[in-house]
Amino acid sequence: MPTPPKLTPEQRKAALAKSTSARQTRAATKARVKSGELTLSAIFELATVDEAIAKMRVVELLESFAGVGKVRAIATLDRLSISQTRRVQGLGNAQRAKLMREFPDRVPAIHRGKLIVLSGPGGVGKSTVAKALRQTQSFWVSVSATTRIARHNEVDGVDYFFYSDEEFDNAVKSALFLEWADFAGSRYGTPRKPVEDALRDGKNVLLEIEIAGARQVKDRAPEAVLVFLQPPSWEELVSRLEGRGTDSQERRAARLALAQDELAQSSFFDINVINERVEEVVDRLIGLTTHQ
Ligand code: 5GP
C-alpha cells in the first residue's frame, strides 16, 4: 500500500482548520433545515457554492428534517433507489426531483398564495403597475435588494434594500436570493425567505423583476405564473424610453437595442398583457390569483 505523503505541521494545521469549518457549516445547515428555514432546493443551490454542503451525505441531510429520523431517511433513499452513501454533489437531476417531491413544503398547495412574476422590457411601466397593486392589498409585493445607488425619492427597505457589493456577494453565497441578475451595471435580487413566508401564509406574492430573473424563478418555482407586460406599440415604448431624460445618443441606442432583445423573449412567458391602462393590468393580475 502506498504510504500517504507526510504533511508539514502547517499543512496539518490547515487541514484541521478546514475540517473544523466544514463540520461547523454542516451543523449550521442541519439546524436551518430542522427549523424549516432551508428547503431542499435552497440546499441544492447552496451546494453549488459551498464545498462543505456539496460533500454532505444525503442521508444526514434528510435526517435533519423535523420528524424524519435515521430509519425513515434510509428507507426513503432505499425506496427512491438512491445509495445511502450518496453525497449532495453526486445527486443527478432526476434524483433531486424525486427527493423534492418527497420533502415538499409542508403547507398543502391549496392554502398557499400564488406567485406572480411581472416582467417585460425597460420602460413598459412595470413599476407603476406594481405600485398600483400594492394599494389594492391583493398582493404582497416583494422588495428587492440592489447594488445601485438610491434615487432621491427612494427609501431603503421600502423601494429597495440598498446593498453594498460585499453585502450582495454575501447574500448570493448564502443562497438568500430566489433569483438575481445583472441589469444596467447593477445587481438586483429577490430575497427568498420573505417570499416563501408570504406564500406559506397564504398571501399572493408579486415580483416585479427583469427578464433574466423571471426565467430563474420559473426554474426554481415552476408553479409561478410569469406575466410579460407588453407596450401598446413599439413607437409607444420608444417614446417612453426617450421620455426618461438626458441620455447620450449612444445610451439611447443601447436602450432601444436592449428593449428589442427583451421583447423577443415574450414567448417564454405564460401570459402576455398589453399595458394600455394600468387599471386593466391590475384587474388582470388580480384575476390570475383566483382563476388559475
Ligand atoms: P430600476 O433600477 O429602474 O429600479 O430597475 C431596473 C430593472 O431591474 C427593472 O427592470 C426592474 O424590474 C428590475 N428589478 C428590480 N428588482 C429586481 C430583482 O429583484 N431581480 C431582478 N432580476 N430584477 C429586478
Side-chain angles (χ1 to χ4, degrees):
M1 219 166 73
T3 43
K6 234 180 155 40
L7 296 180
T8 64
E10 287 74 34
Q11 285 171 325
R12 203 171 309 127
K13 212 164 136 198
L16 197 67
K18 191 172 170 195
S19 80
T20 307
S21 139
R23 208 174 327 111
Q24 285 166 348
T25 304
R26 284 200 299 270
T29 305
K30 285 196 266 183
R32 289 172 76 192
V33 170
K34 193 166 215 116
S35 73
E37 183 194 335
L38 279 182
T39 59
L40 266 185
S41 62
I43 290 163
F44 294 153
E45 206 189 320
L46 272 175
T48 62
V49 290
D50 191 321
E51 194 189 344
I53 296 178
K55 289 190 169 162
M56 262 177 99
R57 283 184 198 281
V58 179
V59 69
E60 210 183 326
L61 186 63
L62 299 189
E63 271 178 60
S64 51
F65 276 94
V68 180
K70 197 176 195 91
V71 172
R72 183 169 157 212
I74 292 175
T76 306
L77 288 179
D78 263 2
R79 183 160 42 79
L80 301 179
S81 311
I82 298 173
S83 155
Q84 282 175 35
T85 57
R86 179 74 76 229
R87 292 174 194 272
V88 173
Q89 65 186 3
L91 287 168
N93 282 342
Q95 290 176 325
R96 285 173 185 222
K98 278 197 252 179
L99 283 170
M100 275 154 62
R101 272 198 297 277
E102 201 70 25
F103 294 92
D105 263 349
R106 280 155 206 280
V107 179
I110 196 164
H111 299 309
R112 286 170 65 82
K114 289 253 160 56
L115 177 58
I116 310 277
V117 180
L118 179 66
S119 197
V124 75
K126 297 181 295 261
S127 59
T128 311
V129 170
K131 212 171 265 167
L133 269 170
R134 237 189 216 131
Q135 321 272 306
T136 67
Q137 318 277 315
S138 304
F139 280 93
W140 178 84
V141 181
S142 162
V143 178
S144 299
T146 182
T147 57
R148 90 152 155 70
I149 309 279
R151 295 179 185 133
H152 74 279
N153 54 346
E154 287 178 329
V155 178
D156 194 13
V158 175
D159 299 284
Y160 281 104
F161 295 105
F162 294 99
Y163 279 17
S164 66
D165 271 321
E166 198 190 348
E167 285 170 328
F168 204 96
D169 282 342
N170 287 337
V172 170
K173 275 193 208 125
S174 309
L176 297 185
F177 290 134
L178 175 59
E179 61 73 40
W180 69 271
D182 273 305
F183 186 86
S186 301
R187 287 179 291 171
Y188 296 82
T190 304
R192 175 203 302 279
K193 189 160 187 308
V195 170
E196 285 178 352
D197 288 350
L199 291 171
R200 199 172 295 133
D201 289 348
K203 295 182 189 145
N204 300 311
V205 171
L206 183 88
L207 311 183
E208 182 257 292
I209 62 179
E210 54 70 67
I211 294 171
R215 299 180 82 117
Q216 290 172 42
V217 175
K218 195 71 185 175
D219 280 346
R220 291 171 195 168
E223 76 284 2
V225 179
L226 262 55
V227 179
F228 191 92
L229 198 59
Q230 290 272 5
S233 66
W234 170 246
E235 289 71 28
E236 177 74 31
L237 185 64
V238 172
S239 94
R240 286 187 197 179
L241 283 172
E242 291 187 336
R244 278 192 169 183
T246 54
D247 278 356
S248 66
Q249 190 80 357
E250 220 169 77
R251 249 189 93 75
R252 192 177 148 254
R255 266 182 190 286
L256 294 180
L258 176 64
Q260 254 169 341
D261 228 46
E262 290 174 324
L263 283 171
Q265 299 187 56
S266 63
S267 60
F268 179 82
F269 284 70
D270 298 309
I271 295 168
N272 273 242
V273 176
I274 299 175
N275 189 12
E276 292 279 6
R277 289 181 50 241
V278 173
E279 307 79 63
E280 273 170 25
V281 178
V282 165
D283 284 350
R284 189 78 198 279
L285 292 177
I286 293 175
L288 292 176
T289 64
T290 47
H291 300 138
Q292 286 256 321

